[in-house]
Amino acid sequence: MILTVTLNTALDITYRVQGLRPHASHRVTEVTERPGGKGLNVARVLAALGHEVTVTGFAGGTTGGVVREQLTGVHGVTDALVPVAGATRRTVAVVDERTGDTTQLNEPGPAVAPAEWNAFQEAYEDLLTGAAAVALCGSLPPGVPVGAYAGLVRAARTAGVPVLLDTSGEPLRRGLAARPDLIKPNADELAELTGSHEPQRAAQAARRRGARSVVASLGAEGLLAVTPEGRWRAAPPAHVHGNPTGAGDSAVAGLLSGLVEHLSWPDRLTRAVALSAATVLAPVAGEFDRAAYEELLGRGVAVTAEAGAAQSLP
């Protein structure tokens, strides 16, 4: 079983409009809803790849009830969300059909009480006993300590479970000190963390601060991996246009599934890039186009080794 943690779950709502214009009224041509938040997106992709996944985090209110109801229909995903008094947030993606661009609106999430946070930590430690790997994903809702991910990383390491951390800002900075096995920031998050805008140098700096391996999302340029085994860049064969919502989460699913399947780093990166690109091509946030994914795997994602060995760190 793979465990994904989404402390700030969401109901993802996607609106499609013919053309998005500021200060104008729009007729929505299509509306879709999906359980969302980074870890739930990761879980859906992992399940589609054939893995058994358990999801945990918080869910509350009417919106949380909709999220949990829709999760029951996702084969391979087990719901272990912890109830809270506050209402689960909504995120709204507005897709401009004319340009293919997406505008994202994210609510902050419910306030989590100390007793609710304690209940989650107990549930999390119990779930770790049956996990092959864990992904800690996304923002923190109000009330959760800023150092929450650091404690969750330490708990996973104590249980001997490989842990991937995908967050940003101060939660990432503090979580890094707990020495996660892998972090997956984008280029901006990595620059904010390290102060360096050169991705390879920044990734090395993140490893010195505690991450065993770093995989950085470089947008249309694909992924950069800096690991104890080496450095690689992986990119799709051509730039893809569409809705990028959830593309990074699909990359996380590719990396995590590759880890538990003991794939080589180049094979993990190939899968991650193919899934990410196929997610951009999907019509709904947090899904991926299966045919596009298989085609991308078949015609080859470009994976190249970077010059020089990755710095050896304990």
Side-chain angles (χ1 to χ4, degrees), residues 7-9 58-61 82-89 107-117 140-145:
L7 296 177
N8 211 3
T9 54
F58 296 112
V82 175
V84 291
T88 294
R89 66 187 177 132
E107 296 179 358
V112 175
E116 293 168 337
W117 173 236
L140 302 179
V144 172

Side-chain angles (χ1 to χ4, degrees), residues 219-236:
E221 297 178 18
L223 300 175
L224 166 69
V226 178
T227 80
E229 291 79 20
R231 307 172 185 171
W232 293 270
R233 286 184 186 261

Side-chain angles (χ1 to χ4, degrees), residues 59-66 84-88:
T62 301
T63 309
V66 174
V84 291
T88 294

Side-chain angles (χ1 to χ4, degrees), residues 80-188:
L81 294 168
V82 175
V84 291
T88 294
R89 66 187 177 132
R90 296 160 297 180
T91 67
V92 178
V94 183
V95 180
D96 185 326
E97 295 177 336
R98 177 175 49 83
T99 65
D101 293 334
T102 301
T103 299
Q104 190 81 16
L105 304 173
N106 298 326
E107 296 179 358
V112 175
E116 293 168 337
W117 173 236
N118 291 337
F120 167 78
Q121 291 179 90
E122 292 178 7
Y124 171 73
E125 292 186 10
D126 288 343
L127 290 167
L128 284 174
T129 61
V134 58
L136 308 174
C137 303
S139 61
L140 302 179
V144 172
V146 71
Y149 281 134
L152 300 182
V153 169
R154 292 188 188 99
R157 289 178 57 82
T158 298
V161 178
V163 56
L164 182 155
L165 178 60
D166 184 16
T167 188
S168 61
E170 191 63 20
L172 174 58
R173 191 181 309 278
R174 298 199 186 192
L176 199 59
R179 305 186 68 81
D181 294 274
L182 174 62
I183 64 170
K184 198 222 60 74
N186 61 35
D188 290 339

Side-chain angles (χ1 to χ4, degrees), residues 49 261 272:
L49 294 173
E261 294 173 31

Side-chain angles (χ1 to χ4, degrees), residues 10 12 21 29 32 45 50 88 99 110 123 129 141 162 173 201 206 238 270 304 310:
D12 284 346
R21 303 179 308 280
T29 60
T32 55
V45 175
T88 294
T99 65
T129 61
R173 191 181 309 278
R201 187 172 298 137
T270 296
T304 57

Side-chain angles (χ1 to χ4, degrees), residues 20 54 74 280:
L20 183 62
T54 296
V74 183
V280 174

Side-chain angles (χ1 to χ4, degrees), residues 246-287:
D249 305 329
S250 290
V252 168
L255 295 169
L256 204 59
S257 62
L259 184 155
V260 300
E261 294 173 31
H262 307 291
L263 299 183
S264 67
W265 270 107
D267 286 345
R268 295 184 207 181
L269 295 168
T270 296
R271 179 180 291 179
V273 168
L275 282 169
S276 181
T279 298
V280 174
L281 294 170
V284 178
E287 306 289 344

